[in-house]
Amino acid sequence: MSHTSSFTGPKRTRIAPSPTGIAHVGTAWMSMFDLALARQSGGQFLIRIEDTDRTRFVEDAEAKIYEAFEWLGIEYDEGGQKGGPYAPYKQSERLDVYQKYAQELIAQGDAYYCFCSAERLTQMRNDQQKAGLLPKYDRLCCGLSSDDVQQKLKANEPHVIRLKVPDVGVISWEDLIRGHVEFESSAVDDQVLMKSDGFPTYHLAVVVDDHLMKITHLLRGEEWISSTPKHILLYRALGWEMPFLAHMPLIRNADKSKLSKRKNDVSILSYRDRGYLPEALLNFIALLGWSHPEGKEIFSLSEFLDVMSLDRIQKTGPVFDTKKLDWMNGIYIRNLSVEDLKHRLEPFLPSDFPRERLDHILPLILERLVTLKDVEGLTSFFFRPITVDRDELLKKSSLEEVESQLKVTREVLTPEASWQSHEALEESIRQLQEKNNWKKSQYFMMLRIAVTGQQATPPLFETMRVIGREEVLKRLTIHFH
Ligand code: GLU
């Protein structure tokens, strides 16, 4: 196999998610690299659903994958609703194809039937473990005569089909990310290819489909490296050309363990529901294990698709640090046009939000929006009744003083004239504070808490104007007794 630089044709890539639960951020991550290879070379990127493990199958998982891709704006050329020249793109609809190749492998002597019971296999593994041996099928059934096999098949004995791995030799490949990789053939197990339920295992199905779907470049997670020798043997046995292989680094939790849902939110759609922008999430995951050639941190998907190259992928597993995503999301939010932002905020605005005041409220909270979902918490004091913590209000001053401060403040704020602009409002309040010689920090904080119920808010006078004269006067009328 030659190196990628010698490959000049259109590249065909694929993502092959298993519908076993949520749509995983790792799937989107890998897809971006697949898509870039395809787009840069005038090739195609396809989605194939690998649903052959019926024990892990989750009903709506496939729909969620397409929904997630749609939200992210990752476009694929074949698969899903799109179909394509190599349809179906779902493995459970291709069972006869795998059956055909399994039979071919048996006929050539590269695979064999195995009738061993689950109990026997467990016993065997336990014994091997006790003896300190590598757990591997002991090939009991490889020695069956063809008569024995025929008899057992006729009697409908449950069986699987196994790959016959050569006893000696080295299996190697030039990985586009990791360079030369090799395994001793003797360390490779006689992998099950067809299960007793008539479904293929991942190993047979992935090889057959990647070949039939003319995949030229195969990107997948590092966890599949030890499976690759089995796949290479299958390509050889079937007389097929190997695609180029690239094993991507494992994404990690902060503690360096493999990215998991126990320690991180790994569901694409949950980022949507929590108010992240798809552009920000894509930008964030693009930088997992890859860096922009100019060191840029903020770039669009289309820029990524142009500049991505596999040689900038690192081998060590990147850490999934969502603090960085928060930072990016804020940047993307502030880069949106007002109209676009309003449109995206809509699903996050509570039903009692005064939409007609959004134009006034938005500029006041824009700097503090990390996610779209923050909008409710950051704005509720504008339109909902507030609760004022009495202790906070009286923290820096006596009850008497605060009561008198509130009273005169109300007097000053009663005339409409004070409310013409937030500058006018500020002017009146500052004069009042100076005239009475109130301590600035105490008075302004007291006022802020009385008006908003909070200590940290957008600029006070602009906030007061948006809340409105009548409501502010009401809030300044606090009954302490
Ligand atoms: N179905 C496998 C998975 O869910 C695909 C691995 C591969 O890309 O070969 O990860």
Side-chain angles (χ1 to χ4, degrees), residues 12 14 46-48 78 86-90 94 98 208-216:
R12 283 180 60 83
R14 56 41 166 200
L46 60 92
I47 300 194
R48 182 176 68 229
E78 296 169 28
Y86 305 99
Y89 292 84
K90 195 199 286 206
R94 302 170 60 79
Y98 312 120
V208 167
D209 286 346
D210 284 337
H211 172 73
L212 295 181
M213 295 178 182
K214 300 200 162 43
I215 300 305
T216 62

Side-chain angles (χ1 to χ4, degrees), residues 348-476:
F348 296 93
L349 294 179
S351 56
D352 58 342
F353 189 95
R355 285 166 170 71
E356 70 289 352
R357 287 159 72 193
L358 187 56
D359 280 334
H360 294 292
I361 295 177
L362 210 46
L364 297 182
I365 58 151
L366 192 55
E367 276 306 315
R368 299 177 67 212
L369 275 181
V370 173
T371 68
L372 299 171
K373 205 175 180 184
D374 290 340
V375 69
E376 181 170 358
L378 289 176
T379 61
S380 70
F381 63 80
F382 284 106
F383 59 94
R384 284 193 191 138
I386 57 164
T387 43
V388 171
D389 185 330
R390 181 193 158 113
D391 293 342
E392 286 299 336
L393 200 69
L394 302 180
K395 202 167 178 178
K396 296 259 168 69
S397 191
S398 66
L399 175 62
E400 291 68 34
E401 189 177 24
V402 169
E403 277 187 316
S404 96
Q405 284 176 336
L406 287 171
K407 184 164 170 285
V408 264
T409 307
R410 281 198 306 271
E411 285 163 13
V412 165
L413 294 183
T414 299
E416 302 268 2
S418 315
W419 290 83
Q420 263 156 16
S421 66
H422 68 84
E423 289 91 349
L425 205 51
E426 178 163 2
E427 188 52 31
S428 321
I429 294 288
R430 283 200 191 282
Q431 277 177 13
L432 183 67
Q433 174 258 324
E434 278 164 24
K435 196 174 85 197
N436 288 284
N437 222 350
W438 291 326
K439 213 170 154 245
K440 226 169 163 181
S441 59
Q442 175 274 328
Y443 175 59
F444 284 109
M445 181 52 84
M446 187 285 294
L447 202 53
R448 188 183 296 274
I449 294 174
V451 171
T452 67
Q454 298 180 15
Q455 299 184 35
T457 68
L460 181 58
F461 302 103
E462 289 164 67
T463 300
M464 284 169 69
R465 273 196 90 228
V466 173
I467 294 172
R469 173 177 167 275
E470 213 175 312
E471 177 64 21
V472 169
L473 289 173
K474 218 162 79 193
R475 291 185 186 182
L476 294 179

Side-chain angles (χ1 to χ4, degrees), residues 120-140 189:
R120 175 173 188 274
L121 293 174
T122 309
Q123 184 63 46
M124 177 197 77
R125 265 192 294 271
N126 289 345
D127 293 347
Q128 285 169 336
Q129 215 158 25
K130 262 186 236 146
L133 298 168
L134 210 67
K136 256 176 81 172
Y137 180 57
D138 61 5
R139 294 202 160 157
L140 181 70
D189 195 9

Side-chain angles (χ1 to χ4, degrees), residues 14 16-18 50 202 206 218-220 224:
R14 56 41 166 200
S18 297
E50 301 207 329
Y202 156 70
V206 79
L218 202 159
L219 267 57
R220 66 176 162 212
W224 297 107

Side-chain angles (χ1 to χ4, degrees), residues 28-89:
W29 175 64
M30 203 95 60
S31 296
M32 293 177 76
F33 294 87
D34 283 321
L35 186 60
L37 289 183
R39 290 288 175 273
Q40 289 171 7
S41 64
Q44 296 83 31
F45 163 62
L46 60 92
I47 300 194
R48 182 176 68 229
I49 300 295
E50 301 207 329
D51 58 346
T52 59
D53 187 348
R54 304 316 280 179
T55 59
R56 296 179 60 216
F57 181 78
V58 173
E59 198 55 61
D60 64 348
E62 183 184 347
K64 292 264 182 277
I65 291 168
Y66 292 121
E67 194 181 330
F69 272 59
E70 163 112 43
W71 176 67
L72 285 171
I74 295 182
E75 286 176 7
Y76 47 92
D77 304 300
E78 296 169 28
Q81 295 293 324
K82 286 213 161 118
Y86 305 99
Y89 292 84

